[in-house]
Amino acid sequence: MADVVSTLAAPHRKRDATAASATAIRPEAPRRALVVGASGLLGENLCRRVAETPGWQLTTLSRRPPAVAGSAHVSLDLKAHDHCLAHASALADITHVFFCARELSKGYGIDVDVNGEMLANLLDALADGAPHLRHVQLMHGLKWYGTHVGPVRIPAREDDPAHADSSFYLRQQEDLIRRCARSGWTWSTIRPHFLCAFATGSPSNLVLMLGTFASLLKEMGDDLWFPGSQDAFDAVTGCADIDLVTSAMLWAASEESCANNAFNIGNGDVFRWRDVWPLIAETFGLRPGPVRITDLPAYMADKGPVWERLAARRGLKPLPLDQLADWHFAQNNVFGLAWDVVPSLVKAHRHGFHEVVDTGEMFARLFARYRSAGILP
C-alpha cells in the first residue's frame, strides 16, 4: 500500500545558503519536550514522534511510564498542587510542554474543574522550576465549537468564540494565555476531531471501537447495523490520523509564526458514515446493515463473555472488552452527532502545515495493524 501521508508542500520555509551556513555555525540548543499524559493514546504516539525527531529530547510525565525507551520520566499527581511544586526541580531543563493529559470519570464524564486544576498545578511547578521553558501546547478538540452539543457553524474556524459548553478547553486556554503574558512563554492549541491510532488501554479510540463493534456483531451472526440515527448516518464528519496530528504538534510548537495560535487539524478530507459503513463491513466480512438506534452502553453490558469466547477461539490477546471500547464515548461522541462537523483547515495551511491523509486508506491500515497484533480478528 502506498504511503497514505502525503506532503503537498514542505511544512517549513526553505532557508537560503547564508541561513543554512549560519545554522551550521550556531546550532540551535536541543529542545527538551515534556509530554504530559505520556501513557495515553496520544501521549505514547507523541513520545515516539519526539524520540525519533532530530533536535528533540524527551521527558515523559504520567502515572505509569510509557513504552518509549531512552527518555527521562517524571511521576506526578497533577491533581495534588503541593506534590507538583515539590517536584518542580525535575522540570529544570524543559523547553517545550505538550499537555495531553485529561481526567475522565466513569461513563466518559469530564470534570471541567479537575482538568483546569491539573493544568494550573503543572504551570505553577513550571513557573518555579523550568527557567528554560519557551512554549506550552494544549491538546484540545472541536468541542471548543460545541460540536458535541449541536449543529455549529460550517466550517468551524479558529477565531470562532468558544461554545458555552466547551468542556475544559476555554478554562485551560484562558489560564495558559494569562501565564504566558506574565512569564514570556508562547502557547498553541491543537484541535483535531476523532483521533485515529493504534493503541490499547485507551477505550476512547475510534478505530479500535469500530473494529470491536464489527467483530462482536459478526460473532453473533448479525449484519453491521449502524447504532445511531439516520441523521448521524448521513452527517458529514472527519477525523485525524495520529501520525499527522503528532507531526502538526511539533510543527506548531516549533515555528515562530505559529506562536500564540490555535489550529484545527484533520486529515484533509471528510466523509459520511453511510459511505464508510460498507467499507468497514467488507473489511470484517459482514454485510452492511440498517440504521438501528441503540443504547450502546446497555446493549454491550453483557457482551464481555461473547468477546472472551471470540478472543479464545481466534487466538487474540486476552484483553477485556472495556479496555477495547468505551461505549459511552461511542454513543455520545461518535454515533450521537446527528449534524455536520467540518472544521476549516485553512489557517494551518496558510501557516505552513500541508500534510494530508486519505481517511479510507487510514482505516484499512489501522484495522490491518490491529489484526496483525492479535487484537482484532
mmCIF file of all heavy atoms in Angstrom, residues 33-68:
data_model
loop_
_atom_site.group_PDB
_atom_site.id
_atom_site.type_symbol
_atom_site.label_atom_id
_atom_site.label_comp_id
_atom_site.label_asym_id
_atom_site.label_seq_id
_atom_site.Cartn_x
_atom_site.Cartn_y
_atom_site.Cartn_z
ATOM 1 N N ALA A 33 11.383 18.247 25.304
ATOM 2 C CA ALA A 33 9.923 18.193 25.363
ATOM 3 C C ALA A 33 9.471 17.465 26.618
ATOM 4 O O ALA A 33 9.999 16.402 26.960
ATOM 5 C CB ALA A 33 9.372 17.478 24.133
ATOM 6 N N LEU A 34 8.484 18.017 27.294
ATOM 7 C CA LEU A 34 7.781 17.335 28.369
ATOM 8 C C LEU A 34 6.418 16.921 27.836
ATOM 9 O O LEU A 34 5.576 17.782 27.548
ATOM 10 C CB LEU A 34 7.615 18.248 29.590
ATOM 11 C CG LEU A 34 6.839 17.635 30.761
ATOM 12 C CD1 LEU A 34 7.651 16.523 31.416
ATOM 13 C CD2 LEU A 34 6.466 18.705 31.795
ATOM 14 N N VAL A 35 6.204 15.629 27.676
ATOM 15 C CA VAL A 35 4.914 15.117 27.213
ATOM 16 C C VAL A 35 4.106 14.716 28.437
ATOM 17 O O VAL A 35 4.449 13.753 29.143
ATOM 18 C CB VAL A 35 5.089 13.927 26.251
ATOM 19 C CG1 VAL A 35 3.729 13.372 25.848
ATOM 20 C CG2 VAL A 35 5.878 14.363 25.012
ATOM 21 N N VAL A 36 3.057 15.455 28.698
ATOM 22 C CA VAL A 36 2.217 15.246 29.883
ATOM 23 C C VAL A 36 1.037 14.358 29.478
ATOM 24 O O VAL A 36 0.324 14.654 28.530
ATOM 25 C CB VAL A 36 1.716 16.588 30.430
ATOM 26 C CG1 VAL A 36 0.935 16.375 31.730
ATOM 27 C CG2 VAL A 36 2.879 17.550 30.647
ATOM 28 N N GLY A 37 0.831 13.278 30.240
ATOM 29 C CA GLY A 37 -0.142 12.281 29.823
ATOM 30 C C GLY A 37 0.495 11.322 28.837
ATOM 31 O O GLY A 37 -0.120 10.915 27.852
ATOM 32 N N ALA A 38 1.730 10.942 29.113
ATOM 33 C CA ALA A 38 2.545 10.226 28.137
ATOM 34 C C ALA A 38 2.125 8.781 27.925
ATOM 35 O O ALA A 38 2.566 8.155 26.961
ATOM 36 C CB ALA A 38 4.016 10.272 28.564
ATOM 37 N N SER A 39 1.304 8.229 28.814
ATOM 38 C CA SER A 39 0.920 6.829 28.668
ATOM 39 C C SER A 39 -0.416 6.656 27.964
ATOM 40 O O SER A 39 -0.879 5.523 27.778
ATOM 41 C CB SER A 39 0.869 6.147 30.041
ATOM 42 O OG SER A 39 -0.082 6.790 30.882
ATOM 43 N N GLY A 40 -1.038 7.749 27.531
ATOM 44 C CA GLY A 40 -2.313 7.656 26.834
ATOM 45 C C GLY A 40 -2.153 7.435 25.346
ATOM 46 O O GLY A 40 -1.038 7.376 24.810
ATOM 47 N N LEU A 41 -3.275 7.326 24.644
ATOM 48 C CA LEU A 41 -3.272 7.089 23.204
ATOM 49 C C LEU A 41 -2.444 8.140 22.477
ATOM 50 O O LEU A 41 -1.538 7.819 21.698
ATOM 51 C CB LEU A 41 -4.710 7.072 22.677
ATOM 52 C CG LEU A 41 -4.932 6.891 21.184
ATOM 53 C CD1 LEU A 41 -6.238 6.142 20.941
ATOM 54 C CD2 LEU A 41 -4.994 8.228 20.445
ATOM 55 N N LEU A 42 -2.728 9.399 22.714
ATOM 56 C CA LEU A 42 -1.979 10.471 22.059
ATOM 57 C C LEU A 42 -0.574 10.569 22.626
ATOM 58 O O LEU A 42 0.404 10.706 21.882
ATOM 59 C CB LEU A 42 -2.702 11.802 22.236
ATOM 60 C CG LEU A 42 -1.946 13.041 21.747
ATOM 61 C CD1 LEU A 42 -1.671 12.966 20.248
ATOM 62 C CD2 LEU A 42 -2.708 14.310 22.090
ATOM 63 N N GLY A 43 -0.440 10.500 23.945
ATOM 64 C CA GLY A 43 0.852 10.707 24.577
ATOM 65 C C GLY A 43 1.906 9.718 24.114
ATOM 66 O O GLY A 43 3.036 10.105 23.797
ATOM 67 N N GLU A 44 1.562 8.436 24.056
ATOM 68 C CA GLU A 44 2.558 7.446 23.642
ATOM 69 C C GLU A 44 2.986 7.662 22.200
ATOM 70 O O GLU A 44 4.162 7.523 21.862
ATOM 71 C CB GLU A 44 2.019 6.030 23.843
ATOM 72 C CG GLU A 44 2.010 5.590 25.294
ATOM 73 C CD GLU A 44 2.090 4.081 25.453
ATOM 74 O OE1 GLU A 44 1.974 3.361 24.427
ATOM 75 O OE2 GLU A 44 2.263 3.618 26.596
ATOM 76 N N ASN A 45 2.044 7.991 21.334
ATOM 77 C CA ASN A 45 2.391 8.236 19.939
ATOM 78 C C ASN A 45 3.221 9.507 19.784
ATOM 79 O O ASN A 45 4.149 9.562 18.970
ATOM 80 C CB ASN A 45 1.122 8.311 19.086
ATOM 81 C CG ASN A 45 0.545 6.944 18.771
ATOM 82 O OD1 ASN A 45 0.969 6.281 17.834
ATOM 83 N ND2 ASN A 45 -0.419 6.514 19.568
ATOM 84 N N LEU A 46 2.912 10.538 20.570
ATOM 85 C CA LEU A 46 3.718 11.752 20.518
ATOM 86 C C LEU A 46 5.124 11.485 21.045
ATOM 87 O O LEU A 46 6.111 12.005 20.498
ATOM 88 C CB LEU A 46 3.049 12.857 21.331
ATOM 89 C CG LEU A 46 3.825 14.178 21.413
ATOM 90 C CD1 LEU A 46 4.070 14.769 20.033
ATOM 91 C CD2 LEU A 46 3.094 15.169 22.315
ATOM 92 N N CYS A 47 5.253 10.684 22.095
ATOM 93 C CA CYS A 47 6.578 10.353 22.621
ATOM 94 C C CYS A 47 7.437 9.693 21.552
ATOM 95 O O CYS A 47 8.628 10.007 21.410
ATOM 96 C CB CYS A 47 6.448 9.435 23.829
ATOM 97 S SG CYS A 47 5.843 10.246 25.312
ATOM 98 N N ARG A 48 6.858 8.784 20.802
ATOM 99 C CA ARG A 48 7.626 8.134 19.734
ATOM 100 C C ARG A 48 8.049 9.153 18.683
ATOM 101 O O ARG A 48 9.175 9.108 18.186
ATOM 102 C CB ARG A 48 6.803 7.016 19.101
ATOM 103 C CG ARG A 48 6.524 5.846 20.046
ATOM 104 C CD ARG A 48 5.879 4.675 19.334
ATOM 105 N NE ARG A 48 5.522 3.635 20.279
ATOM 106 C CZ ARG A 48 4.329 3.493 20.824
ATOM 107 N NH1 ARG A 48 3.361 4.332 20.491
ATOM 108 N NH2 ARG A 48 4.074 2.525 21.676
ATOM 109 N N ARG A 49 7.154 10.066 18.350
ATOM 110 C CA ARG A 49 7.476 11.100 17.359
ATOM 111 C C ARG A 49 8.645 11.963 17.856
ATOM 112 O O ARG A 49 9.584 12.231 17.107
ATOM 113 C CB ARG A 49 6.247 11.963 17.105
ATOM 114 C CG ARG A 49 6.496 13.245 16.335
ATOM 115 C CD ARG A 49 6.720 13.017 14.866
ATOM 116 N NE ARG A 49 5.509 12.530 14.215
ATOM 117 C CZ ARG A 49 5.384 12.401 12.894
ATOM 118 N NH1 ARG A 49 6.399 12.724 12.098
ATOM 119 N NH2 ARG A 49 4.277 11.935 12.360
ATOM 120 N N VAL A 50 8.582 12.397 19.105
ATOM 121 C CA VAL A 50 9.642 13.231 19.657
ATOM 122 C C VAL A 50 10.963 12.467 19.677
ATOM 123 O O VAL A 50 12.019 12.986 19.287
ATOM 124 C CB VAL A 50 9.276 13.714 21.075
ATOM 125 C CG1 VAL A 50 10.465 14.412 21.730
ATOM 126 C CG2 VAL A 50 8.066 14.653 21.030
ATOM 127 N N ALA A 51 10.918 11.213 20.144
ATOM 128 C CA ALA A 51 12.142 10.415 20.264
ATOM 129 C C ALA A 51 12.801 10.174 18.914
ATOM 130 O O ALA A 51 14.028 10.014 18.840
ATOM 131 C CB ALA A 51 11.826 9.083 20.941
ATOM 132 N N GLU A 52 12.020 10.160 17.847
ATOM 133 C CA GLU A 52 12.552 9.880 16.512
ATOM 134 C C GLU A 52 12.941 11.137 15.749
ATOM 135 O O GLU A 52 13.487 11.040 14.646
ATOM 136 C CB GLU A 52 11.498 9.110 15.695
ATOM 137 C CG GLU A 52 11.194 7.714 16.242
ATOM 138 C CD GLU A 52 9.953 7.114 15.610
ATOM 139 O OE1 GLU A 52 9.312 7.817 14.779
ATOM 140 O OE2 GLU A 52 9.610 5.965 15.944
ATOM 141 N N THR A 53 12.671 12.312 16.302
ATOM 142 C CA THR A 53 12.900 13.561 15.586
ATOM 143 C C THR A 53 14.220 14.196 16.017
ATOM 144 O O THR A 53 14.398 14.500 17.197
ATOM 145 C CB THR A 53 11.744 14.547 15.841
ATOM 146 O OG1 THR A 53 10.512 13.940 15.432
ATOM 147 C CG2 THR A 53 11.946 15.828 15.042
ATOM 148 N N PRO A 54 15.153 14.406 15.083
ATOM 149 C CA PRO A 54 16.426 15.038 15.442
ATOM 150 C C PRO A 54 16.206 16.416 16.067
ATOM 151 O O PRO A 54 15.312 17.163 15.677
ATOM 152 C CB PRO A 54 17.149 15.155 14.090
ATOM 153 C CG PRO A 54 16.541 14.095 13.232
ATOM 154 C CD PRO A 54 15.099 14.023 13.648
ATOM 155 N N GLY A 55 17.045 16.743 17.037
ATOM 156 C CA GLY A 55 16.968 18.037 17.696
ATOM 157 C C GLY A 55 16.035 18.082 18.886
ATOM 158 O O GLY A 55 15.922 19.117 19.547
ATOM 159 N N TRP A 56 15.358 16.956 19.175
ATOM 160 C CA TRP A 56 14.437 16.900 20.310
ATOM 161 C C TRP A 56 14.923 15.875 21.325
ATOM 162 O O TRP A 56 15.399 14.802 20.959
ATOM 163 C CB TRP A 56 13.022 16.521 19.861
ATOM 164 C CG TRP A 56 12.276 17.613 19.172
ATOM 165 C CD1 TRP A 56 12.263 17.875 17.838
ATOM 166 C CD2 TRP A 56 11.419 18.583 19.778
ATOM 167 N NE1 TRP A 56 11.456 18.955 17.568
ATOM 168 C CE2 TRP A 56 10.922 19.411 18.737
ATOM 169 C CE3 TRP A 56 11.030 18.838 21.093
ATOM 170 C CZ2 TRP A 56 10.055 20.472 18.982
ATOM 171 C CZ3 TRP A 56 10.168 19.897 21.340
ATOM 172 C CH2 TRP A 56 9.680 20.695 20.291
ATOM 173 N N GLN A 57 14.780 16.199 22.588
ATOM 174 C CA GLN A 57 14.985 15.265 23.688
ATOM 175 C C GLN A 57 13.658 15.135 24.430
ATOM 176 O O GLN A 57 12.809 16.023 24.360
ATOM 177 C CB GLN A 57 16.089 15.764 24.616
ATOM 178 C CG GLN A 57 17.442 15.891 23.933
ATOM 179 C CD GLN A 57 18.478 16.573 24.816
ATOM 180 O OE1 GLN A 57 18.165 17.087 25.880
ATOM 181 N NE2 GLN A 57 19.719 16.594 24.352
ATOM 182 N N LEU A 58 13.487 14.023 25.135
ATOM 183 C CA LEU A 58 12.171 13.685 25.664
ATOM 184 C C LEU A 58 12.198 13.447 27.164
ATOM 185 O O LEU A 58 13.039 12.722 27.685
ATOM 186 C CB LEU A 58 11.651 12.420 24.969
ATOM 187 C CG LEU A 58 10.329 11.840 25.477
ATOM 188 C CD1 LEU A 58 9.176 12.821 25.241
ATOM 189 C CD2 LEU A 58 10.038 10.500 24.780
ATOM 190 N N THR A 59 11.231 14.069 27.851
ATOM 191 C CA THR A 59 10.892 13.730 29.231
ATOM 192 C C THR A 59 9.403 13.425 29.261
ATOM 193 O O THR A 59 8.602 14.154 28.657
ATOM 194 C CB THR A 59 11.209 14.889 30.198
ATOM 195 O OG1 THR A 59 12.620 15.114 30.213
ATOM 196 C CG2 THR A 59 10.741 14.571 31.606
ATOM 197 N N THR A 60 9.025 12.358 29.922
ATOM 198 C CA THR A 60 7.627 11.967 29.993
ATOM 199 C C THR A 60 7.073 12.210 31.384
ATOM 200 O O THR A 60 7.802 12.150 32.376
ATOM 201 C CB THR A 60 7.449 10.485 29.618
ATOM 202 O OG1 THR A 60 8.249 9.674 30.494
ATOM 203 C CG2 THR A 60 7.889 10.247 28.182
ATOM 204 N N LEU A 61 5.790 12.484 31.445
ATOM 205 C CA LEU A 61 5.100 12.683 32.718
ATOM 206 C C LEU A 61 3.767 11.949 32.651
ATOM 207 O O LEU A 61 2.933 12.259 31.784
ATOM 208 C CB LEU A 61 4.890 14.174 32.994
ATOM 209 C CG LEU A 61 4.426 14.576 34.409
ATOM 210 C CD1 LEU A 61 4.776 16.036 34.688
ATOM 211 C CD2 LEU A 61 2.919 14.376 34.612
ATOM 212 N N SER A 62 3.587 10.994 33.524
ATOM 213 C CA SER A 62 2.334 10.229 33.594
ATOM 214 C C SER A 62 2.371 9.377 34.845
ATOM 215 O O SER A 62 3.410 9.234 35.491
ATOM 216 C CB SER A 62 2.160 9.341 32.351
ATOM 217 O OG SER A 62 3.257 8.478 32.189
ATOM 218 N N ARG A 63 1.222 8.801 35.173
ATOM 219 C CA ARG A 63 1.174 7.950 36.368
ATOM 220 C C ARG A 63 1.983 6.670 36.165
ATOM 221 O O ARG A 63 2.604 6.166 37.083
ATOM 222 C CB ARG A 63 -0.283 7.630 36.720
ATOM 223 C CG ARG A 63 -0.979 8.756 37.471
ATOM 224 C CD ARG A 63 -2.336 8.317 37.989
ATOM 225 N NE ARG A 63 -3.315 8.219 36.926
ATOM 226 C CZ ARG A 63 -4.226 9.146 36.661
ATOM 227 N NH1 ARG A 63 -4.268 10.254 37.386
ATOM 228 N NH2 ARG A 63 -5.091 8.998 35.683
ATOM 229 N N ARG A 64 1.955 6.124 34.945
ATOM 230 C CA ARG A 64 2.783 4.955 34.635
ATOM 231 C C ARG A 64 3.679 5.289 33.452
ATOM 232 O O ARG A 64 3.248 5.975 32.517
ATOM 233 C CB ARG A 64 1.908 3.726 34.325
ATOM 234 C CG ARG A 64 0.932 3.911 33.167
ATOM 235 C CD ARG A 64 0.076 2.680 32.972
ATOM 236 N NE ARG A 64 -0.980 2.900 31.980
ATOM 237 C CZ ARG A 64 -0.834 2.750 30.671
ATOM 238 N NH1 ARG A 64 0.334 2.389 30.176
ATOM 239 N NH2 ARG A 64 -1.847 2.953 29.848
ATOM 240 N N PRO A 65 4.927 4.838 33.469
ATOM 241 C CA PRO A 65 5.845 5.176 32.375
ATOM 242 C C PRO A 65 5.342 4.628 31.052
ATOM 243 O O PRO A 65 4.821 3.508 30.987
ATOM 244 C CB PRO A 65 7.153 4.489 32.791
ATOM 245 C CG PRO A 65 7.042 4.296 34.263
ATOM 246 C CD PRO A 65 5.587 4.063 34.537
ATOM 247 N N PRO A 66 5.482 5.382 29.975
ATOM 248 C CA PRO A 66 5.077 4.890 28.654
ATOM 249 C C PRO A 66 6.118 3.930 28.098
ATOM 250 O O PRO A 66 7.246 3.833 28.612
ATOM 251 C CB PRO A 66 5.016 6.172 27.815
ATOM 252 C CG PRO A 66 6.047 7.055 28.443
ATOM 253 C CD PRO A 66 6.000 6.755 29.918
ATOM 254 N N ALA A 67 5.729 3.227 27.040
ATOM 255 C CA ALA A 67 6.638 2.245 26.433
ATOM 256 C C ALA A 67 7.537 2.918 25.408
ATOM 257 O O ALA A 67 7.538 2.581 24.230
ATOM 258 C CB ALA A 67 5.825 1.132 25.781
ATOM 259 N N VAL A 68 8.318 3.896 25.847
ATOM 260 C CA VAL A 68 9.257 4.595 24.970
ATOM 261 C C VAL A 68 10.625 4.556 25.632
ATOM 262 O O VAL A 68 10.799 5.078 26.738
ATOM 263 C CB VAL A 68 8.831 6.055 24.722
ATOM 264 C CG1 VAL A 68 9.837 6.752 23.823
ATOM 265 C CG2 VAL A 68 7.442 6.106 24.089
#
